[in-house]
Amino acid sequence: MEFLEYFPNVFEPWNFLILCGGTIGGLILGATPGLSPTMAVALLIPFTFRMDPTASLILLGAVYTATVAGGAVSAILVNIPGAPANIATVMDGHPMANQGRATEALHYCFISSFVGGVLGVLLLIFFTPVLAEFALNFGPAELFWVAILGVTVIGSLGSGSVVKGLFAGAFGLWISMIGYSPVLGVERFVFSEHLGGGINIIAALIGLFAIPQVLGMMETAKRGGKAEMFDMENHSVLASIKYNLSRVKALVIGSVTGIIVGIIPGAGGQIAGLIAYDQTKKLSRNSDEFGKGQPDGVIAAESANNSMVGPSLVPLLTLSVPGSPTAAVLLGGLLINGLFPGPDLFTIHAEVTWTFIDSLLVAQLLMLLFGLYISRYSRFVTRIPKFYMAAAVTILAVVGTYSVQNSLSDVIVMLTLGTAMYFATKVGFSPAPVVLGIILGPIAEDNFLQGMLIGESMDGVGPYFFTGTINMALIAFCVVSVGYSIYSELRSAARARAGK
Amino acid sequence: MNTNLTTPIAVLAVSAAMYAASASGDGGGFEFPTLIALIMCALGAGMLIHALGPGRRSSGKRSGSVPWGSILPGLALFVAYLFLMGWLGFFVTSFLVFVVIALLYAPGSPTAPAIARTAGVAGVFTATLYGVFVLLLQVQFPQGLLF
């Protein structure tokens, strides 16, 4: 019960203040259409740069948790999911708002998010140390395959197209090698003086996630259009809690689906929400009411996307393989604080790690309390005009990137990568595999070179990398994730052709 | 040219350039980048073959064309931001860029009250950033003519 030992740390004044601020800020950011959790966490990393590691991770974790729940506000009130994880919430949440039940829908959203979120964090607490202990058996070959697995899985499962996802991951790996080789000290691919220091992870994170969204807002900002203003009805919180907890089937399906999807590297919240919604609808006696304002739809989708948050950190904290794109950004936050995923997190850095995990549990409760309280005011957040959002995110991206190492070159790299990513998204590429490639590139290369040296001094490089139970299991996971994604893509294409 | 072919050809060209840069490297430290660039070339070739295949299906989601009329002013502002921040000063430039983006992308023509409101929002936002980054986090930004 090591997690209980560090629980009081969460309630130290500075940590608790950061946790409350992060939760409230995350709810507001999540409720703002156009600001995804991934972008919110990426933009916040420069703010945490000068904080101590514990406070920094508490802030990022609270924002991650709260933005996913807050995204339901715009899904329910504006019919625009605040985050990809809230896509399924739109289906019944917005019809409920149209029926004059907006407050009730928001109550279900926060209560279900709380239930799912707590279950997800409990899994994180009890499962992570076991997996971290297992990771002690990993040498350079295994760590190399883990890095490749991370890029492969997020490239294949987390993208619209397997080939494009894998290409994006490989591109990220390659550009992570710009600058000096950390092992041999050789200068590589410095085509411009601005690339002398290599690609800074934070600059890349901000550029790849924020700039395409800014340009996306610029595309549509001129059209304007105001969000509908709902009269928020008075609805008793106690009645909402009583009804919500009585919907056991929807809560269980949502939470279990979210936990399973979260622990699968790269899968992400939108998949969890959609699967949970679909299963709840199929198993419901009132399946014909789904899509017309059925509360079970909101309950299943929201418990799923928040129960995914904790488990998405399990492979991240143990094997450096993020369970979602936002977890990939969080990996950047860990690395800049000098924390490397693996068993050291639970031994050398136990205090930071356990305080962070415990804070996620408290964040769920704060998210519930603040969420229920601000439900009645949340409609105002959804009315922030896109042109202000685009301007604010641009300035925040530039200031945040510059502040990391006082470097104008980082700002140039951030804007260049972000602009290129905007055009790449137009032809079906996603930023998450590129980011993961940049983050995992140095880990993959270091272990590849170390493995080559060890292999040459033993039975050969081939046997070193391609034998052993763990190596073979990791290679099998890589092959299965790519194979399954190709199969899914072909099946979708066949269905689309049959539909035509 | 068929748009389905443009992407794989561009991908293949980028991969080939990356392979050429990796393979021409002297000494150690280039093995891994060369391997990655080779994989990228193979993926690019796969995309090209896929695009040339029956029905010329496009792979992955396609979000649509680029609305250049909306995007070009934004891109020009990014470049102007980079050039001006060293000359005018970081926060003055940030204030101006905020105002220009907000006025340029607001629906309808800018009116005097809208300009005043936007300048007020930009001022509060820039002042908040100044407080957080300069006063609290002690970050040194380029000074320029102003600040």
Side-chain angles (χ1 to χ4, degrees):
Chain A
M1 290 295 165
E2 208 176 355
F3 80 96
L4 289 174
E5 193 183 321
Y6 297 102
F7 216 83
N9 291 359
V10 180
F11 297 97
E12 283 177 8
W14 176 237
N15 288 346
F16 193 65
L17 189 71
I18 289 280
L19 185 59
C20 292
T23 310
I24 295 171
L27 285 169
I28 294 169
L29 290 172
T32 312
L35 271 179
S36 70
T38 314
M39 184 171 86
V41 175
L43 283 174
L44 267 177
I45 286 181
F47 286 93
T48 68
F49 209 61
R50 285 164 178 79
M51 289 180 182
D52 67 277
T54 312
S56 155
L57 290 177
I58 286 176
L59 178 63
L60 296 177
V63 171
Y64 182 16
T65 300
T67 42
V68 173
V73 174
S74 60
I76 290 168
L77 300 184
V78 198
N79 206 23
I80 300 170
N86 307 105
I87 291 170
T89 312
V90 170
M91 297 180 198
D92 280 291
H94 192 63
M96 279 183 80
N98 279 333
Q99 293 162 12
R101 298 163 70 195
T103 308
E104 188 187 348
L106 286 171
H107 284 175
Y108 296 150
C109 145
F110 290 114
I111 297 163
S112 327
S113 294
F114 168 73
V115 174
V118 168
L119 292 173
V121 177
L122 287 178
L123 180 115
L124 174 71
I125 288 170
F126 293 110
F127 199 66
T128 312
V130 182
L131 203 60
E133 194 73 21
F134 176 67
L136 277 174
N137 301 315
F138 287 27
E142 288 81 4
L143 289 172
F144 166 76
W145 284 118
V146 163
I148 298 300
L149 175 68
V151 179
T152 310
V153 169
I154 213 158
S156 51
L157 292 178
S159 305
S161 153
V162 186
V163 183
K164 285 177 181 172
L166 292 176
F167 180 85
F171 180 80
L173 283 173
W174 197 91
I175 64 169
S176 77
M177 288 173 252
I178 291 173
Y180 281 92
S181 158
V183 178
L184 299 161
V186 186
E187 193 185 73
R188 299 175 298 186
F189 319 126
V190 181
F191 308 117
S192 150
E193 57 177 312
H194 299 296
L195 294 172
I199 303 280
N200 179 271
I201 290 176
I202 308 305
L205 282 178
I206 294 175
L208 290 168
F209 283 113
I211 298 303
Q213 290 208 27
V214 167
L215 292 169
M217 287 180 214
M218 286 175 175
E219 277 182 22
T220 53
K222 268 279 183 202
R223 289 178 211 150
K226 288 191 172 175
E228 292 168 73
M229 279 289 266
F230 289 102
D231 287 325
M232 307 294 283
E233 85 282 13
N234 285 319
H235 195 267
S236 156
V237 173
L238 280 177
S240 296
I241 293 173
K242 202 174 161 188
Y243 177 81
N244 205 139
L245 296 181
S246 72
R247 310 309 296 164
V248 178
K249 200 201 292 180
L251 275 174
V252 170
I253 293 173
S255 303
V256 172
T257 308
I259 285 170
I260 294 170
V261 171
I263 213 159
I264 299 170
Q270 72 268 38
I271 302 171
L274 287 166
I275 294 175
Y277 182 87
D278 182 54
Q279 292 304 311
T280 309
K281 183 181 173 183
K282 279 178 182 159
L283 295 171
S284 173
R285 283 183 207 148
N286 309 313
S287 58
D288 54 325
E289 289 174 13
F290 278 72
K292 298 171 188 164
Q294 166 61 251
D296 280 0
V298 177
I299 292 169
E302 282 303 307
S303 54
N305 63 34
N306 248 55
S307 65
M308 174 275 309
V309 171
S312 74
L313 300 176
V314 174
L316 170 79
L317 296 179
T318 53
L319 303 168
S320 322
V321 180
S324 68
T326 318
V329 177
L330 212 61
L331 177 58
L334 278 174
L335 295 178
I336 62 162
N337 279 298
L339 303 169
F340 293 90
D344 283 358
L345 280 183
F346 296 89
T347 51
I348 300 167
H349 305 292
E351 187 173 353
V352 176
T353 310
W354 280 118
T355 308
F356 164 59
I357 293 175
D358 289 341
S359 76
L360 287 175
L361 202 55
V362 182
Q364 303 297 334
L365 184 64
L366 293 175
M367 180 266 296
L368 173 69
L369 297 175
F370 293 138
L372 289 175
Y373 181 72
I374 65 168
S375 286
R376 71 189 80 168
Y377 306 110
S378 49
R379 59 185 172 150
F380 297 110
V381 178
T382 60
R383 289 174 62 83
I384 297 175
K386 277 185 187 172
F387 51 90
Y388 280 148
M389 288 301 304
V393 174
T394 304
I395 308 298
L396 208 52
V398 170
V399 175
T401 304
Y402 183 86
S403 71
V404 175
Q405 19 182 50
N406 292 5
S407 164
L408 201 58
S409 295
D410 283 351
V411 178
I412 293 170
V413 168
M414 183 274 290
L415 288 173
T416 309
L417 273 178
T419 306
M421 193 69 238
Y422 166 76
F423 291 109
T425 55
K426 290 287 176 192
V427 287
F429 289 95
S430 310
V434 184
V435 165
L436 206 62
I438 294 171
I439 292 173
L440 294 179
I443 299 171
E445 188 186 15
D446 288 359
N447 287 293
F448 176 75
L449 293 174
Q450 281 183 39
M452 293 246 292
L453 291 173
I454 296 170
E456 279 164 7
S457 66
M458 292 166 65
D459 304 329
V461 175
Y464 182 72
F465 278 100
F466 292 96
T467 55
T469 315
I470 300 174
N471 281 341
M472 294 315 289
L474 291 168
I475 294 168
F477 277 131
C478 291
V479 173
V480 167
S481 70
V482 173
Y484 176 76
S485 303
I486 291 172
Y487 166 72
S488 302
E489 208 175 308
L490 290 174
R491 197 177 56 176
S492 303
R495 276 184 188 163
R497 278 198 300 276
K500 278 180 189 172
Chain B
M1 185 184 281
N2 188 325
T3 50
N4 282 353
L5 285 177
T6 315
T7 308
I9 288 170
V11 161
L12 210 50
V14 168
S15 310
M18 285 174 151
Y19 177 74
S22 308
S24 61
D26 292 331
F30 288 88
E31 301 92 343
F32 193 61
T34 307
L35 183 67
I36 297 297
L38 261 178
I39 293 169
M40 289 169 70
C41 288
L43 290 167
M47 283 168 68
L48 188 62
I49 292 165
H50 186 69
L52 289 169
R56 290 185 177 182
R57 289 162 297 162
S58 63
S59 59
K61 61 184 175 192
R62 188 170 288 276
S63 308
S65 57
V66 178
W68 290 104
S70 303
I71 296 306
L72 275 179
L75 295 178
L77 270 172
F78 290 167
V79 176
Y81 197 173
L82 286 171
F83 279 105
L84 286 176
M85 67 170 70
W87 181 58
L88 272 180
F90 207 93
F91 286 95
V92 172
T93 314
S94 297
F95 170 81
L96 290 175
V97 169
F98 189 112
V99 172
V100 175
I101 290 179
L103 291 177
L104 202 61
Y105 288 100
S109 307
T111 56
I115 293 170
R117 194 170 50 243
T118 304
V121 173
V124 171
F125 185 76
T126 317
T128 308
L129 285 184
Y130 184 82
V132 171
F133 282 96
V134 177
L135 303 179
L136 199 69
L137 300 175
Q138 310 274 311
V139 178
Q140 296 288 320
F141 286 95
Q143 291 291 305
L145 286 176
L146 301 162
F147 76 96

